[in-house]
Amino acid sequence: MRIKSTISPSGTTLYLGNYDAYLEARQKQEAAKAAAEAENENAVPKANTVYKQKKERASEIRKRRAALSKCEREIEATEAEIDTLNEQLSNPETASDYEKMMEITNKITEQKAFADSLMNDWTELTLWLEENDV
C-alpha cells in the first residue's frame, strides 16, 4: 500500500492506496466542490432575483402613478374644453349660425368621448394601484 499526499494552501492531504485510489478521491472532492459552488451560485441569483423583482415592482408603481397624474390633468383639461365649447353654444352669434353650432356640437361630442376614455383609464389605474400599492 502506498500513501500519496498533496500540499495545498489549505494544508496537506494524505491518500491511502495506489494511484487509482488517489484519482478517485480527487474526483469525489472536485465533484463536492463543484456542487458547493453551484449551490452558492444558485443562492446569489435568488437574492438578486428578489431584489430585481422589488425594483421592477417599484418601477411599475411609479409608472402607473405618473400615468394616473397625467390622466387626471387631461381629464381636467378636457372638461375645461367642454365648458368652453358649451359657452360658445350659448353665445347668440353661434346660435344663429347652424353650421357653427353643428361644428361645436361635434367637438363637444368628441371631447366627451375622449373624457369617457380618460375616465376609464383613470378607473383602471386607480384599481390597479389600490390592489398592488402597499
Side-chain angles (χ1 to χ4, degrees), residues 12-13 26 31 45 59 63 83 89 94 104 108 122 127 133:
T12 304
T13 307
R26 289 286 294 175
S59 173
K63 286 179 186 176
D83 290 342
L89 274 181
T94 307
I104 293 173
I108 290 173
W122 181 87
L127 290 175
D133 196 8

Side-chain angles (χ1 to χ4, degrees), residues 4-5 42-43 47 58 60 106 118 123 131-132:
K4 173 79 174 149
S5 65
N42 289 340
E60 183 66 23
N106 289 338
L118 289 171
T123 302
E131 292 172 0
N132 294 289

